[in-house]
Amino acid sequence: MVKRKSFGDMECSIAKALDIIGEWWSLLIVREAFWGTRRFGDFESRLGIARNILTARLAKLTEHGILQRVPGQDGSKYHEYELTEKGQALAPVLIALSLWGSKWVNGREVTTQDILDRTREERRLRAEESQSAKLADKRRSA
Amino acid sequence: MVKRKSFGDMECSIAKALDIIGEWWSLLIVREAFWGTRRFGDFESRLGIARNILTARLAKLTEHGILQRVPGQDGSKYHEYELTEKGQALAPVLIALSLWGSKWVNGREVTTQDILDRTREERRLRAEESQSAKLADKRRSA
């Protein structure tokens, strides 16, 4: 039993990690942030998540320092969310889950490179979408 | 949008993975199985989990082919649970969670080797415990 003590600090690292990010939606919100989503309304529509659940999860992720609230990039009154260093450090967890899910649930093996390629593509698509939305807003308010 | 289709099979690999193993207790049960626990009563006492929750989680993990029920190693009437190949393939997910939790929640960086060393140590401790329990059982029934 003495030997076991030497692992003290590692004792519950998985339990503690799950306590923070172990709710179904939390990791999908983090994944969406990796894909470039920054605004409440975009998380809502892209994830198809109920507003009250999204509000609670964003608050918890922010409280635990995984996301941080920052002023809107376009100077609008809406704030945005971005991954902190602690949040970005979750990349290996998401990659490991994605590799496992692809192979063992979807029955199609992918590589880490496939996942990184997809992340880049998703970021490009979301940037395009945001650009289109901003142009539409401008046209409407013009 | 055409490009996005090419990722079709990867679409929800994280969501699908979380659907199966995204409940708080499920990954801790899998971790416990990696540490050598095989019997219902041992999962119960080592995790401090309620029997009804443990029953439901073991059923779901078995249904999804992550654990399998096998006859007791000692020929007793009790069956045991062991990780399938699909379950063992979750090791990188647990390692990634453990590395992240150690560094960002416990504030102590560990290496993958530390985690593998700990796994070996936990397996040794549980094997010892099972051995002691069996000897005590024999003495009681003698």
Side-chain angles (χ1 to χ4, degrees), chain A residues 39-73:
Chain A
R39 290 193 173 186
F40 186 95
D42 290 336
F43 282 109
E44 185 188 7
S45 60
R46 288 169 185 163
L47 288 169
I49 181 176
R51 292 178 73 87
N52 59 333
I53 297 178
L54 179 58
T55 300
R57 294 295 177 275
L58 286 173
K60 186 166 183 183
L61 290 168
T62 305
E63 178 197 329
H64 285 286
I66 289 169
L67 294 175
Q68 59 190 353
R69 281 171 62 151
V70 294
Q73 288 178 313

Side-chain angles (χ1 to χ4, degrees), chain A residues 46-109:
Chain A
R46 288 169 185 163
L47 288 169
I49 181 176
R51 292 178 73 87
N52 59 333
I53 297 178
L54 179 58
T55 300
R57 294 295 177 275
L58 286 173
K60 186 166 183 183
L61 290 168
T62 305
E63 178 197 329
H64 285 286
I66 289 169
L67 294 175
Q68 59 190 353
R69 281 171 62 151
V70 294
Q73 288 178 313
D74 56 357
S76 78
K77 63 182 174 167
Y78 299 108
H79 58 258
E80 300 183 350
Y81 294 89
E82 64 182 22
L83 290 164
T84 61
E85 192 188 349
K86 181 177 179 179
Q88 287 178 16
L90 282 167
V93 174
L94 287 174
I95 291 170
L97 275 172
S98 188
L99 290 172
W100 184 84
S102 295
K103 175 168 181 186
W104 292 98
V105 187
N106 287 339
R108 172 166 173 260
E109 282 196 63

Side-chain angles (χ1 to χ4, degrees), chain A residues 1 3-4 6-25 27-28 31 35 66 85-87 89-90 92-106 108 110-111 114-115 117-119 121-122 124-126 129, chain B residues 1 3-4 6-25 27-28 31 35 66 85-87 89-90 92-106 108 110-111 114-115 117-119 121-122 124-126 129:
Chain A
M1 282 310 191
K3 210 140 195 231
R4 197 168 194 167
S6 69
F7 287 113
D9 289 346
M10 286 168 68
E11 189 59 25
C12 307
S13 61
I14 293 174
K16 286 181 185 170
L18 291 173
D19 208 21
I20 298 174
I21 50 147
E23 288 155 321
W24 206 91
W25 281 114
L27 268 184
L28 292 183
R31 181 213 65 182
W35 285 356
I66 289 169
E85 192 188 349
K86 181 177 179 179
L90 282 167
V93 174
L94 287 174
I95 291 170
L97 275 172
S98 188
L99 290 172
W100 184 84
S102 295
K103 175 168 181 186
W104 292 98
V105 187
N106 287 339
R108 172 166 173 260
V110 299
T111 64
D114 293 331
I115 294 170
D117 289 347
R118 182 181 185 180
T119 299
E121 177 65 9
E122 296 286 351
R124 193 184 65 70
L125 287 166
R126 277 158 184 69
E129 272 177 37
Chain B
M1 281 310 189
K3 208 130 201 252
R4 197 167 195 169
S6 68
F7 288 113
D9 289 348
M10 286 169 66
E11 189 60 23
C12 306
S13 60
I14 293 174
K16 286 181 186 171
L18 291 173
D19 207 21
I20 298 174
I21 50 148
E23 288 154 322
W24 207 91
W25 280 115
L27 268 184
L28 291 184
R31 182 213 64 182
W35 285 357
I66 290 169
E85 192 188 349
K86 181 177 178 178
L90 281 168
V93 174
L94 287 174
I95 291 170
L97 275 172
S98 188
L99 290 172
W100 184 83
S102 295
K103 174 167 181 184
W104 291 98
V105 187
N106 287 340
R108 172 167 173 259
V110 298
T111 64
D114 292 331
I115 294 170
D117 288 346
R118 180 179 186 183
T119 300
E121 177 65 9
E122 296 287 350
R124 193 184 65 71
L125 287 165
R126 277 158 184 68
E129 271 176 38

